[in-house]
mmCIF file of all heavy atoms in Angstrom:
data_model
loop_
_atom_site.group_PDB
_atom_site.id
_atom_site.type_symbol
_atom_site.label_atom_id
_atom_site.label_comp_id
_atom_site.label_asym_id
_atom_site.label_seq_id
_atom_site.Cartn_x
_atom_site.Cartn_y
_atom_site.Cartn_z
ATOM 1 N N ARG A 1 19.975 -17.275 5.187
ATOM 2 C CA ARG A 1 18.560 -17.564 4.917
ATOM 3 C C ARG A 1 17.766 -16.321 4.520
ATOM 4 O O ARG A 1 16.623 -16.427 4.120
ATOM 5 C CB ARG A 1 17.909 -18.177 6.161
ATOM 6 C CG ARG A 1 18.569 -19.453 6.573
ATOM 7 C CD ARG A 1 18.025 -20.125 7.808
ATOM 8 N NE ARG A 1 17.254 -19.331 8.729
ATOM 9 C CZ ARG A 1 16.301 -19.834 9.508
ATOM 10 N NH1 ARG A 1 16.008 -21.113 9.456
ATOM 11 N NH2 ARG A 1 15.648 -19.071 10.345
ATOM 12 N N TRP A 2 18.375 -15.124 4.651
ATOM 13 C CA TRP A 2 17.636 -13.881 4.462
ATOM 14 C C TRP A 2 18.311 -12.993 3.430
ATOM 15 O O TRP A 2 19.505 -13.076 3.221
ATOM 16 C CB TRP A 2 17.500 -13.154 5.805
ATOM 17 C CG TRP A 2 16.891 -14.047 6.829
ATOM 18 C CD1 TRP A 2 17.533 -14.653 7.880
ATOM 19 C CD2 TRP A 2 15.546 -14.504 6.871
ATOM 20 N NE1 TRP A 2 16.651 -15.438 8.576
ATOM 21 C CE2 TRP A 2 15.427 -15.373 7.985
ATOM 22 C CE3 TRP A 2 14.418 -14.276 6.095
ATOM 23 C CZ2 TRP A 2 14.230 -15.993 8.323
ATOM 24 C CZ3 TRP A 2 13.233 -14.901 6.432
ATOM 25 C CH2 TRP A 2 13.147 -15.740 7.537
ATOM 26 N N GLU A 3 17.512 -12.132 2.812
ATOM 27 C CA GLU A 3 17.991 -11.238 1.759
ATOM 28 C C GLU A 3 17.672 -9.785 2.119
ATOM 29 O O GLU A 3 16.788 -9.518 2.933
ATOM 30 C CB GLU A 3 17.304 -11.570 0.423
ATOM 31 C CG GLU A 3 17.517 -12.978 -0.061
ATOM 32 C CD GLU A 3 18.906 -13.232 -0.616
ATOM 33 O OE1 GLU A 3 19.463 -12.318 -1.252
ATOM 34 O OE2 GLU A 3 19.421 -14.332 -0.411
ATOM 35 N N SER A 4 18.385 -8.878 1.489
ATOM 36 C CA SER A 4 18.089 -7.452 1.602
ATOM 37 C C SER A 4 18.286 -6.816 0.231
ATOM 38 O O SER A 4 18.951 -7.389 -0.636
ATOM 39 C CB SER A 4 19.008 -6.788 2.634
ATOM 40 O OG SER A 4 20.343 -6.783 2.190
ATOM 41 N N VAL A 5 17.686 -5.659 0.047
ATOM 42 C CA VAL A 5 17.874 -4.876 -1.177
ATOM 43 C C VAL A 5 18.293 -3.474 -0.759
ATOM 44 O O VAL A 5 18.100 -3.070 0.387
ATOM 45 C CB VAL A 5 16.591 -4.803 -2.050
ATOM 46 C CG1 VAL A 5 16.180 -6.173 -2.551
ATOM 47 C CG2 VAL A 5 15.456 -4.121 -1.316
ATOM 48 N N LEU A 6 18.858 -2.739 -1.696
ATOM 49 C CA LEU A 6 19.184 -1.340 -1.458
ATOM 50 C C LEU A 6 18.088 -0.505 -2.100
ATOM 51 O O LEU A 6 17.758 -0.707 -3.274
ATOM 52 C CB LEU A 6 20.546 -0.993 -2.074
ATOM 53 C CG LEU A 6 21.044 0.417 -1.768
ATOM 54 C CD1 LEU A 6 21.407 0.547 -0.286
ATOM 55 C CD2 LEU A 6 22.264 0.738 -2.630
ATOM 56 N N VAL A 7 17.499 0.404 -1.327
ATOM 57 C CA VAL A 7 16.464 1.278 -1.862
ATOM 58 C C VAL A 7 16.985 2.710 -1.902
ATOM 59 O O VAL A 7 17.825 3.103 -1.088
ATOM 60 C CB VAL A 7 15.137 1.197 -1.065
ATOM 61 C CG1 VAL A 7 14.538 -0.188 -1.141
ATOM 62 C CG2 VAL A 7 15.319 1.617 0.376
ATOM 63 N N GLU A 8 16.482 3.462 -2.880
ATOM 64 C CA GLU A 8 16.887 4.847 -3.063
ATOM 65 C C GLU A 8 15.665 5.744 -2.964
ATOM 66 O O GLU A 8 14.625 5.472 -3.583
ATOM 67 C CB GLU A 8 17.545 5.014 -4.427
ATOM 68 C CG GLU A 8 18.056 6.400 -4.698
ATOM 69 C CD GLU A 8 18.830 6.487 -6.002
ATOM 70 O OE1 GLU A 8 19.111 5.443 -6.622
ATOM 71 O OE2 GLU A 8 19.140 7.612 -6.399
ATOM 72 N N TYR A 9 15.798 6.799 -2.197
ATOM 73 C CA TYR A 9 14.717 7.760 -2.009
ATOM 74 C C TYR A 9 14.291 8.349 -3.360
ATOM 75 O O TYR A 9 15.125 8.676 -4.194
ATOM 76 C CB TYR A 9 15.185 8.886 -1.099
ATOM 77 C CG TYR A 9 14.173 9.974 -0.901
ATOM 78 C CD1 TYR A 9 13.118 9.818 -0.025
ATOM 79 C CD2 TYR A 9 14.269 11.163 -1.626
ATOM 80 C CE1 TYR A 9 12.182 10.821 0.151
ATOM 81 C CE2 TYR A 9 13.333 12.172 -1.452
ATOM 82 C CZ TYR A 9 12.294 11.993 -0.560
ATOM 83 O OH TYR A 9 11.371 12.983 -0.390
ATOM 84 N N GLU A 10 12.983 8.466 -3.544
ATOM 85 C CA GLU A 10 12.450 9.068 -4.754
ATOM 86 C C GLU A 10 11.666 10.341 -4.411
ATOM 87 O O GLU A 10 11.993 11.412 -4.894
ATOM 88 C CB GLU A 10 11.566 8.055 -5.482
ATOM 89 C CG GLU A 10 11.288 8.391 -6.914
ATOM 90 C CD GLU A 10 10.568 7.256 -7.619
ATOM 91 O OE1 GLU A 10 9.365 7.052 -7.366
ATOM 92 O OE2 GLU A 10 11.217 6.585 -8.438
ATOM 93 N N GLN A 11 10.642 10.194 -3.564
ATOM 94 C CA GLN A 11 9.845 11.369 -3.202
ATOM 95 C C GLN A 11 9.035 11.130 -1.942
ATOM 96 O O GLN A 11 8.738 9.993 -1.597
ATOM 97 C CB GLN A 11 8.907 11.777 -4.338
ATOM 98 C CG GLN A 11 7.805 10.774 -4.616
ATOM 99 C CD GLN A 11 6.904 11.187 -5.768
ATOM 100 O OE1 GLN A 11 6.694 12.364 -6.005
ATOM 101 N NE2 GLN A 11 6.372 10.217 -6.491
ATOM 102 N N SER A 12 8.692 12.231 -1.284
ATOM 103 C CA SER A 12 7.752 12.227 -0.157
ATOM 104 C C SER A 12 6.475 12.887 -0.645
ATOM 105 O O SER A 12 6.528 13.803 -1.467
ATOM 106 C CB SER A 12 8.297 13.046 1.012
ATOM 107 O OG SER A 12 9.510 12.547 1.476
ATOM 108 N N PHE A 13 5.360 12.433 -0.125
ATOM 109 C CA PHE A 13 4.089 13.064 -0.461
ATOM 110 C C PHE A 13 3.722 14.068 0.625
ATOM 111 O O PHE A 13 3.970 13.799 1.808
ATOM 112 C CB PHE A 13 2.977 12.021 -0.606
ATOM 113 C CG PHE A 13 3.225 11.001 -1.678
ATOM 114 C CD1 PHE A 13 3.111 9.648 -1.406
ATOM 115 C CD2 PHE A 13 3.576 11.385 -2.966
ATOM 116 C CE1 PHE A 13 3.337 8.702 -2.392
ATOM 117 C CE2 PHE A 13 3.809 10.446 -3.963
ATOM 118 C CZ PHE A 13 3.686 9.098 -3.667
ATOM 119 N N PRO A 14 3.097 15.199 0.269
ATOM 120 C CA PRO A 14 2.683 16.172 1.275
ATOM 121 C C PRO A 14 1.416 15.737 2.024
ATOM 122 O O PRO A 14 0.955 16.438 2.915
ATOM 123 C CB PRO A 14 2.434 17.440 0.453
ATOM 124 C CG PRO A 14 2.069 16.944 -0.900
ATOM 125 C CD PRO A 14 2.846 15.666 -1.089
ATOM 126 N N VAL A 15 0.884 14.596 1.655
ATOM 127 C CA VAL A 15 -0.292 14.007 2.309
ATOM 128 C C VAL A 15 -0.002 12.532 2.556
ATOM 129 O O VAL A 15 0.916 11.965 1.963
ATOM 130 C CB VAL A 15 -1.563 14.136 1.432
ATOM 131 C CG1 VAL A 15 -1.923 15.596 1.185
ATOM 132 C CG2 VAL A 15 -1.414 13.386 0.122
ATOM 133 N N VAL A 16 -0.792 11.930 3.413
ATOM 134 C CA VAL A 16 -0.713 10.487 3.644
ATOM 135 C C VAL A 16 -1.963 9.865 3.043
ATOM 136 O O VAL A 16 -3.082 10.285 3.360
ATOM 137 C CB VAL A 16 -0.651 10.159 5.164
ATOM 138 C CG1 VAL A 16 -0.660 8.659 5.395
ATOM 139 C CG2 VAL A 16 0.564 10.809 5.804
ATOM 140 N N LEU A 17 -1.777 8.875 2.165
ATOM 141 C CA LEU A 17 -2.919 8.087 1.699
ATOM 142 C C LEU A 17 -3.093 6.999 2.748
ATOM 143 O O LEU A 17 -2.306 6.053 2.818
ATOM 144 C CB LEU A 17 -2.677 7.495 0.313
ATOM 145 C CG LEU A 17 -3.849 6.715 -0.271
ATOM 146 C CD1 LEU A 17 -5.107 7.592 -0.395
ATOM 147 C CD2 LEU A 17 -3.487 6.123 -1.619
ATOM 148 N N THR A 18 -4.086 7.180 3.605
ATOM 149 C CA THR A 18 -4.200 6.366 4.811
ATOM 150 C C THR A 18 -4.776 4.968 4.547
ATOM 151 O O THR A 18 -5.495 4.759 3.565
ATOM 152 C CB THR A 18 -5.078 7.062 5.867
ATOM 153 O OG1 THR A 18 -6.425 7.137 5.371
ATOM 154 C CG2 THR A 18 -4.559 8.444 6.210
ATOM 155 N N LEU A 19 -4.467 4.084 5.455
ATOM 156 C CA LEU A 19 -5.036 2.738 5.421
ATOM 157 C C LEU A 19 -6.558 2.830 5.480
ATOM 158 O O LEU A 19 -7.249 2.089 4.772
ATOM 159 C CB LEU A 19 -4.489 1.900 6.582
ATOM 160 C CG LEU A 19 -5.034 0.484 6.712
ATOM 161 C CD1 LEU A 19 -4.721 -0.335 5.462
ATOM 162 C CD2 LEU A 19 -4.461 -0.186 7.960
ATOM 163 N N LYS A 20 -7.072 3.734 6.279
ATOM 164 C CA LYS A 20 -8.520 3.923 6.373
ATOM 165 C C LYS A 20 -9.106 4.275 5.008
ATOM 166 O O LYS A 20 -10.128 3.724 4.599
ATOM 167 C CB LYS A 20 -8.840 5.018 7.392
ATOM 168 C CG LYS A 20 -10.313 5.287 7.564
ATOM 169 C CD LYS A 20 -10.572 6.388 8.573
ATOM 170 C CE LYS A 20 -12.063 6.663 8.668
ATOM 171 N NZ LYS A 20 -12.363 7.801 9.521
ATOM 172 N N GLU A 21 -8.455 5.171 4.266
ATOM 173 C CA GLU A 21 -8.934 5.561 2.933
ATOM 174 C C GLU A 21 -8.865 4.380 1.963
ATOM 175 O O GLU A 21 -9.760 4.211 1.125
ATOM 176 C CB GLU A 21 -8.114 6.734 2.396
ATOM 177 C CG GLU A 21 -8.376 8.025 3.146
ATOM 178 C CD GLU A 21 -7.376 9.121 2.846
ATOM 179 O OE1 GLU A 21 -6.159 8.834 2.745
ATOM 180 O OE2 GLU A 21 -7.808 10.276 2.718
ATOM 181 N N LEU A 22 -7.825 3.581 2.081
ATOM 182 C CA LEU A 22 -7.705 2.396 1.219
ATOM 183 C C LEU A 22 -8.822 1.403 1.514
ATOM 184 O O LEU A 22 -9.431 0.853 0.595
ATOM 185 C CB LEU A 22 -6.338 1.743 1.401
ATOM 186 C CG LEU A 22 -5.140 2.575 0.953
ATOM 187 C CD1 LEU A 22 -3.840 1.890 1.347
ATOM 188 C CD2 LEU A 22 -5.189 2.838 -0.539
ATOM 189 N N LYS A 23 -9.108 1.191 2.795
ATOM 190 C CA LYS A 23 -10.190 0.270 3.175
ATOM 191 C C LYS A 23 -11.542 0.790 2.707
ATOM 192 O O LYS A 23 -12.394 0.013 2.258
ATOM 193 C CB LYS A 23 -10.187 0.042 4.686
ATOM 194 C CG LYS A 23 -9.034 -0.825 5.150
ATOM 195 C CD LYS A 23 -9.062 -1.027 6.657
ATOM 196 C CE LYS A 23 -7.959 -1.948 7.116
ATOM 197 N NZ LYS A 23 -7.955 -2.141 8.573
ATOM 198 N N GLU A 24 -11.751 2.109 2.797
ATOM 199 C CA GLU A 24 -13.011 2.705 2.327
ATOM 200 C C GLU A 24 -13.157 2.520 0.822
ATOM 201 O O GLU A 24 -14.239 2.167 0.334
ATOM 202 C CB GLU A 24 -13.062 4.192 2.689
ATOM 203 C CG GLU A 24 -13.308 4.445 4.154
ATOM 204 C CD GLU A 24 -13.142 5.908 4.565
ATOM 205 O OE1 GLU A 24 -12.813 6.769 3.694
ATOM 206 O OE2 GLU A 24 -13.324 6.191 5.763
ATOM 207 N N ALA A 25 -12.074 2.743 0.070
ATOM 208 C CA ALA A 25 -12.108 2.556 -1.385
ATOM 209 C C ALA A 25 -12.398 1.102 -1.727
ATOM 210 O O ALA A 25 -13.165 0.816 -2.651
ATOM 211 C CB ALA A 25 -10.790 3.000 -2.016
ATOM 212 N N ALA A 26 -11.820 0.190 -0.972
ATOM 213 C CA ALA A 26 -12.037 -1.241 -1.206
ATOM 214 C C ALA A 26 -13.489 -1.624 -0.909
ATOM 215 O O ALA A 26 -14.085 -2.418 -1.643
ATOM 216 C CB ALA A 26 -11.078 -2.068 -0.357
ATOM 217 N N SER A 27 -14.055 -1.061 0.147
ATOM 218 C CA SER A 27 -15.436 -1.413 0.492
ATOM 219 C C SER A 27 -16.435 -0.861 -0.517
ATOM 220 O O SER A 27 -17.479 -1.459 -0.749
ATOM 221 C CB SER A 27 -15.784 -0.952 1.911
ATOM 222 O OG SER A 27 -15.878 0.446 1.959
ATOM 223 N N LYS A 28 -16.110 0.268 -1.162
ATOM 224 C CA LYS A 28 -16.998 0.843 -2.181
ATOM 225 C C LYS A 28 -16.975 0.034 -3.477
ATOM 226 O O LYS A 28 -17.920 0.071 -4.243
ATOM 227 C CB LYS A 28 -16.588 2.292 -2.483
ATOM 228 C CG LYS A 28 -16.911 3.248 -1.366
ATOM 229 C CD LYS A 28 -16.439 4.649 -1.693
ATOM 230 C CE LYS A 28 -16.673 5.579 -0.521
ATOM 231 N NZ LYS A 28 -16.061 6.898 -0.733
ATOM 232 N N ASP A 29 -15.884 -0.679 -3.708
ATOM 233 C CA ASP A 29 -15.732 -1.468 -4.932
ATOM 234 C C ASP A 29 -15.054 -2.790 -4.571
ATOM 235 O O ASP A 29 -13.864 -2.967 -4.794
ATOM 236 C CB ASP A 29 -14.909 -0.685 -5.955
ATOM 237 C CG ASP A 29 -14.858 -1.372 -7.311
ATOM 238 O OD1 ASP A 29 -15.552 -2.397 -7.511
ATOM 239 O OD2 ASP A 29 -14.107 -0.885 -8.181
ATOM 240 N N PRO A 30 -15.815 -3.733 -4.001
ATOM 241 C CA PRO A 30 -15.227 -4.978 -3.473
ATOM 242 C C PRO A 30 -14.509 -5.852 -4.505
ATOM 243 O O PRO A 30 -13.697 -6.689 -4.129
ATOM 244 C CB PRO A 30 -16.418 -5.733 -2.878
ATOM 245 C CG PRO A 30 -17.562 -4.797 -2.881
ATOM 246 C CD PRO A 30 -17.242 -3.652 -3.767
ATOM 247 N N ASP A 31 -14.793 -5.645 -5.780
ATOM 248 C CA ASP A 31 -14.109 -6.414 -6.821
ATOM 249 C C ASP A 31 -13.066 -5.571 -7.551
ATOM 250 O O ASP A 31 -12.494 -6.016 -8.544
ATOM 251 C CB ASP A 31 -15.119 -6.960 -7.842
ATOM 252 C CG ASP A 31 -16.095 -7.936 -7.197
ATOM 253 O OD1 ASP A 31 -15.651 -8.733 -6.351
ATOM 254 O OD2 ASP A 31 -17.300 -7.867 -7.525
ATOM 255 N N GLY A 32 -12.829 -4.364 -7.068
ATOM 256 C CA GLY A 32 -11.953 -3.426 -7.759
ATOM 257 C C GLY A 32 -10.474 -3.625 -7.467
ATOM 258 O O GLY A 32 -10.055 -4.504 -6.709
ATOM 259 N N VAL A 33 -9.692 -2.757 -8.081
ATOM 260 C CA VAL A 33 -8.233 -2.798 -8.016
ATOM 261 C C VAL A 33 -7.745 -2.654 -6.576
ATOM 262 O O VAL A 33 -6.869 -3.395 -6.132
ATOM 263 C CB VAL A 33 -7.647 -1.681 -8.915
ATOM 264 C CG1 VAL A 33 -6.160 -1.547 -8.743
ATOM 265 C CG2 VAL A 33 -7.986 -1.955 -10.374
ATOM 266 N N ILE A 34 -8.302 -1.702 -5.837
ATOM 267 C CA ILE A 34 -7.847 -1.449 -4.464
ATOM 268 C C ILE A 34 -8.235 -2.597 -3.540
ATOM 269 O O ILE A 34 -7.460 -2.992 -2.667
ATOM 270 C CB ILE A 34 -8.397 -0.099 -3.941
ATOM 271 C CG1 ILE A 34 -7.903 1.046 -4.810
ATOM 272 C CG2 ILE A 34 -8.017 0.119 -2.474
ATOM 273 C CD1 ILE A 34 -6.396 1.182 -4.902
ATOM 274 N N ALA A 35 -9.403 -3.165 -3.734
ATOM 275 C CA ALA A 35 -9.850 -4.278 -2.886
ATOM 276 C C ALA A 35 -8.917 -5.477 -2.982
ATOM 277 O O ALA A 35 -8.834 -6.284 -2.052
ATOM 278 C CB ALA A 35 -11.275 -4.691 -3.262
ATOM 279 N N ASN A 36 -8.203 -5.590 -4.092
ATOM 280 C CA ASN A 36 -7.298 -6.717 -4.285
ATOM 281 C C ASN A 36 -5.846 -6.418 -3.897
ATOM 282 O O ASN A 36 -4.956 -7.212 -4.202
ATOM 283 C CB ASN A 36 -7.366 -7.193 -5.735
ATOM 284 C CG ASN A 36 -8.693 -7.869 -6.015
ATOM 285 O OD1 ASN A 36 -9.100 -8.765 -5.292
ATOM 286 N ND2 ASN A 36 -9.386 -7.413 -7.044
ATOM 287 N N LEU A 37 -5.601 -5.300 -3.228
ATOM 288 C CA LEU A 37 -4.251 -4.996 -2.765
ATOM 289 C C LEU A 37 -3.774 -6.053 -1.771
ATOM 290 O O LEU A 37 -4.489 -6.388 -0.823
ATOM 291 C CB LEU A 37 -4.213 -3.638 -2.055
ATOM 292 C CG LEU A 37 -4.135 -2.384 -2.887
ATOM 293 C CD1 LEU A 37 -4.305 -1.154 -1.989
ATOM 294 C CD2 LEU A 37 -2.816 -2.306 -3.631
ATOM 295 N N ALA A 38 -2.563 -6.527 -1.971
ATOM 296 C CA ALA A 38 -1.985 -7.480 -1.020
ATOM 297 C C ALA A 38 -1.902 -6.861 0.369
ATOM 298 O O ALA A 38 -2.039 -7.557 1.379
ATOM 299 C CB ALA A 38 -0.603 -7.929 -1.499
ATOM 300 N N LEU A 39 -1.713 -5.558 0.445
ATOM 301 C CA LEU A 39 -1.668 -4.847 1.721
ATOM 302 C C LEU A 39 -2.927 -5.109 2.536
ATOM 303 O O LEU A 39 -2.867 -5.258 3.755
ATOM 304 C CB LEU A 39 -1.516 -3.343 1.466
ATOM 305 C CG LEU A 39 -1.714 -2.414 2.662
ATOM 306 C CD1 LEU A 39 -0.560 -2.580 3.651
ATOM 307 C CD2 LEU A 39 -1.823 -0.966 2.206
ATOM 308 N N LEU A 40 -4.073 -5.171 1.872
ATOM 309 C CA LEU A 40 -5.334 -5.387 2.572
ATOM 310 C C LEU A 40 -5.612 -6.865 2.814
ATOM 311 O O LEU A 40 -6.334 -7.220 3.744
ATOM 312 C CB LEU A 40 -6.488 -4.756 1.786
ATOM 313 C CG LEU A 40 -6.381 -3.251 1.550
ATOM 314 C CD1 LEU A 40 -7.551 -2.760 0.704
ATOM 315 C CD2 LEU A 40 -6.288 -2.483 2.857
ATOM 316 N N LYS A 41 -5.053 -7.722 2.001
ATOM 317 C CA LYS A 41 -5.297 -9.158 2.127
ATOM 318 C C LYS A 41 -4.265 -9.852 3.012
ATOM 319 O O LYS A 41 -4.554 -10.874 3.628
ATOM 320 C CB LYS A 41 -5.328 -9.806 0.745
ATOM 321 C CG LYS A 41 -6.493 -9.299 -0.106
ATOM 322 C CD LYS A 41 -6.602 -10.046 -1.399
ATOM 323 C CE LYS A 41 -7.796 -9.626 -2.189
ATOM 324 N NZ LYS A 41 -9.068 -10.063 -1.669
ATOM 325 N N GLN A 42 -3.055 -9.332 3.045
ATOM 326 C CA GLN A 42 -1.974 -9.907 3.857
ATOM 327 C C GLN A 42 -1.350 -8.775 4.665
ATOM 328 O O GLN A 42 -0.194 -8.421 4.471
ATOM 329 C CB GLN A 42 -0.931 -10.573 2.967
ATOM 330 C CG GLN A 42 -1.492 -11.727 2.161
ATOM 331 C CD GLN A 42 -0.466 -12.248 1.177
ATOM 332 O OE1 GLN A 42 0.027 -11.516 0.337
ATOM 333 N NE2 GLN A 42 -0.152 -13.527 1.292
#
């Protein structure tokens, strides 16, 4: 009933783009690209 995929490392970022920053960007532009992220909606 379940699936898996194989993922390959690409890169690490020297910073974290935080959930808080994403929520702030979404609140500044409620109809924008970030506000419609599935991460924020689901």
